[in-house]
């Protein structure tokens, strides 16, 4: 993969276009290897099965009015990813710590909302955008630096809400909640769900839908009434719209009983052979779990320390063998120095790991933590 030229949404991309040796680039090799895999376009993969089931809901309930995009290039400008959807200049999501930058003006999209404004400008009023999205993040069973989202947008005309006695915003908010509750029932049947008020720069009001799973409330989608400014800039001053963005992995983990987000990337037959095109209800039967191996690393942090940077190092060395990175001890001494101890869980879902290979991984982690994060080991 590493040397080949990828075709992403009709654009030809080589590794040097993405992983560059310059200070404004923070895309590691591992991320490059995920580009172009497009798990959401495989009809036999849980993410493809889920995407198709959502398509089916929109096709039947909205008479095929939603345009479907699932092959838009994940390399976008910071204008598309942030400015066009009104993300403030100082918002954390723009930081080098949270987003993969290819250069100062180009990123790997961190959400499918990056395509909202462009598609509105092109005249689409009802659309679904599915794609891989990229975020620097922590390491645990529900977080992976590449995941998949589906964006939905629906634009209303004054004639849609005029007779309702509601203003456009309330009308759109009601329609949005009814649509997404219907979608949740279509996918889950009876499931416990709740709406939580939220904030997004591009919607107002904003909501999150949560689903009860494994004794926890799991956030599965964000949504709201689109900020009028986005519509105005697209020349739609009289219209009102709603938008949602849902995480396909989160939903698929619940629907298929998939316990670890890394499994979506597995090519192990024992995983892939369990899923069939069009079959949403299938419950994944875990193959025997191999034993985990825990290794701790402790160091004095400095002001620029970030957990995401640590996780990127662990991921770069251990790849999918890294199951979790967890802060287990944190204290500040009398001199004001702060110490962190992290427990790294190594585990393969496919085989037993040997002591030698784990020790080797851990030594590399210690080495790179020390040299790249400028911390003092303990
Ligand atoms: N883009 C948001 C996210 O990634 C989700 C979202 C999309 C929220 C559209 C509101 C409207 O978290």
């Amino acid at each position: 993969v590493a040397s080949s030229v990828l075709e992403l949404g009709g654009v030809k991309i080589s590794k040097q276009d993405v992983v560059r040796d310059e200070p404004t680039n923070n895309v590691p090799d591992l991320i490059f290897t995920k580009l172009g895999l497009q798990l959401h376009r495989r009809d036999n993969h849980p993410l493809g099965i889920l995407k198709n089931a959502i398509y089916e809901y929109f096709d039947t309930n909205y008479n095929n009015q939603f345009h479907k995009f699932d092959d838009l290039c994940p390399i976008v400008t910071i204008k598309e990813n942030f400015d066009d959807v009104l993300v403030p200049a100082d918002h954390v999501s723009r930081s080098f710590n949270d987003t993969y930058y290819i250069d100062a003006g180009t990123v790997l999209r961190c959400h499918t909302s990056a395509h909202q404004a462009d598609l509105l400008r092109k005249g689409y009023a009802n659309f679904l955008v599915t794609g891989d999205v990229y975020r620097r993040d922590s390491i645990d069973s529900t977080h992976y630096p590449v995941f998949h989202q589906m964006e939905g947008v629906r634009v209303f005309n004054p004639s849609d809400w005029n007779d309702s006695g509601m203003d456009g915003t309330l009308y759109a908010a009601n329609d949005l909640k009814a649509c997404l509750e219907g979608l949740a029932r279509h996918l889950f049947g009876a499931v416990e769900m709740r709406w939580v008020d939220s904030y997004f720069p591009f919607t107002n009001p904003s909501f999150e839908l949560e689903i009860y799973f494994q004794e926890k409330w799991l956030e599965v989608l964000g949504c709201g009434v689109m900020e009028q400014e986005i519509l105005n800039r697209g020349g739609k001053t009289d219209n009102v719209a709603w938008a949602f963005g849902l995480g396909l992995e989160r939903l698929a983990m619940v629907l298929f009983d998939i316990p670890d987000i890394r499994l979506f990337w597995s090519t192990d037959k024992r995983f892939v052979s369990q899923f069939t095109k069009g079959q949403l209800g299938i419950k994944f039967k875990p193959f025997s779990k191999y034993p985990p191996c825990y290794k701790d690393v402790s160091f004095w942090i400095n002001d620029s320390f970030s957990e995401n940077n640590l996780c990127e190092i662990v991921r770069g060395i251990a790849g999918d063998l890294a199951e979790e990175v967890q802060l287990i001890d944190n204290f500040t001494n009398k001199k004001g120095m702060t110490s962190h101890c992290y427990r790294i869980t190594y585990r393969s879902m496919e085989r037993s790991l040997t002591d030698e290979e784990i020790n080797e991984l851990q030594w590399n982690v210690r080495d790179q933590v020390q040299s790249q994060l400028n911390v003092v080991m303990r």
Side-chain angles (χ1 to χ4, degrees):
V1 184
S3 63
S4 66
V5 175
L6 299 169
E7 172 108 22
L8 301 175
V11 186
K12 285 208 164 50
I13 307 281
S14 68
K15 185 171 174 185
Q16 301 84 274
D17 296 327
V18 179
V19 184
R20 296 200 208 145
D21 187 16
E22 55 175 272
T24 49
N25 185 293
N26 61 352
V27 184
D29 284 9
L30 187 80
I31 291 297
F32 178 74
T33 65
K34 307 294 182 191
L35 277 173
L37 292 183
Q38 296 189 313
L39 302 179
H40 59 285
R41 298 181 74 200
R42 301 182 188 176
D43 289 336
N44 287 313
H45 188 281
L47 298 178
I49 298 168
L50 174 57
K51 181 197 78 175
N52 289 331
I54 302 174
Y55 278 1
E56 188 184 277
Y57 172 79
F58 279 93
D59 285 348
T60 45
N61 291 283
Y62 296 91
N63 198 17
N64 297 311
Q65 286 172 50
F66 277 78
H67 290 265
K68 302 187 280 263
F69 301 89
D70 71 354
D71 189 26
L72 299 177
C73 183
I75 297 172
V76 300
T77 61
I78 55 171
K79 176 174 179 293
E80 292 167 307
N81 199 75
F82 299 120
D83 303 337
D84 282 355
V85 282
L86 315 178
V87 176
D90 58 355
H91 195 270
V92 281
S93 66
R94 290 190 186 241
S95 76
F96 220 53
N97 189 50
D98 287 39
T99 292
Y100 291 108
Y101 279 79
I102 289 174
D103 59 40
T106 319
V107 296
L108 293 173
R109 67 182 163 213
C110 71
H111 55 182
T112 42
S113 303
H115 302 287
Q116 273 189 18
D118 191 46
L119 291 171
L120 284 171
R121 264 193 304 269
K122 289 184 168 138
Y124 295 100
N126 304 298
F127 55 85
L128 302 170
V129 179
T130 312
D132 35 323
V133 300
Y134 297 78
R135 289 185 200 175
R136 298 182 91 235
D137 214 329
S138 49
I139 299 184
D140 64 34
S141 66
T142 58
H143 290 91
Y144 199 79
V146 190
F147 60 103
H148 298 76
Q149 284 188 328
M150 187 189 290
E151 191 88 2
V153 169
R154 182 171 198 207
V155 180
F156 297 96
N157 297 311
S159 58
D160 293 323
W161 70 81
N162 273 344
D163 297 335
S164 70
M166 292 179 251
D167 67 8
T169 304
L170 184 61
Y171 183 86
N174 287 345
D175 187 86
L176 171 66
K177 285 187 173 175
C179 169
L180 292 172
E181 284 170 14
L183 174 63
R185 274 192 302 275
H186 175 74
L187 298 176
F188 291 98
V191 69
E192 259 196 281
M193 44 181 163
R194 68 180 185 192
W195 288 105
V196 180
D197 287 329
S198 185
Y199 166 80
F200 298 102
F202 25 90
T203 49
N204 187 15
S206 304
F207 316 100
E208 266 164 17
L209 182 63
E210 297 186 340
I211 281 181
Y212 200 67
F213 176 59
Q214 288 180 348
E215 280 135 52
K216 278 194 221 108
W217 286 101
L218 192 67
E219 175 205 325
V220 293
L221 66 83
C223 66
V225 178
M226 189 180 286
E227 280 288 357
Q228 195 60 43
E229 177 65 14
I230 301 176
L231 286 162
N232 292 351
R233 290 185 193 174
K236 296 187 182 326
T237 47
D238 294 334
N239 303 89
V240 168
W242 56 236
F244 69 80
L246 61 82
L248 290 180
E249 275 84 347
R250 290 293 182 86
L251 286 172
M253 287 177 84
V254 181
L255 282 164
F256 296 93
D257 261 348
I258 295 173
D260 191 302
I261 196 165
R262 292 173 299 166
L263 281 162
F264 290 103
W265 300 91
S266 174
T267 53
D268 191 315
K269 278 202 187 58
R270 290 170 300 170
F271 178 77
V272 291
S273 68
Q274 291 195 34
F275 306 99
T276 310
K277 179 178 176 178
Q279 298 198 17
L280 197 61
I282 293 174
K283 296 298 178 205
F284 171 65
K285 290 179 211 64
F287 28 95
S288 58
K289 260 202 165 186
Y290 292 93
C293 178
Y294 306 103
K295 293 279 173 189
D296 294 351
V297 56
S298 307
F299 44 80
W300 300 103
I301 62 163
N302 54 27
D303 291 345
S304 64
F305 175 78
S306 97
E307 217 164 287
N308 283 356
N309 288 343
L310 169 68
C311 288
E312 194 88 337
I313 287 177
V314 175
R315 200 83 84 176
I317 292 165
D320 286 358
L321 300 181
E323 177 169 291
E324 186 162 9
V325 174
Q326 196 187 2
L327 180 64
I328 57 167
D329 190 40
N330 177 2
F331 72 90
T332 303
N333 71 7
K334 290 198 195 89
K335 292 182 190 156
M337 294 160 71
T338 298
S339 162
H340 281 184
C341 178
Y342 288 91
R343 174 154 298 166
I344 304 174
T345 309
Y346 296 99
R347 191 206 309 254
S348 164
M349 282 170 298
E350 281 144 28
R351 62 193 177 83
S352 284
L353 301 174
T354 64
D355 283 344
E356 288 85 355
E357 72 183 312
I358 292 167
N359 286 336
E360 164 111 21
L361 293 173
Q362 183 68 7
W363 277 114
N364 283 334
V365 168
R366 283 186 68 90
D367 228 48
Q368 288 198 25
V369 163
Q370 186 161 18
S371 63
Q372 293 183 31
L373 300 184
N374 269 311
V375 298
V376 178
M377 306 308 283
R378 302 194 56 213

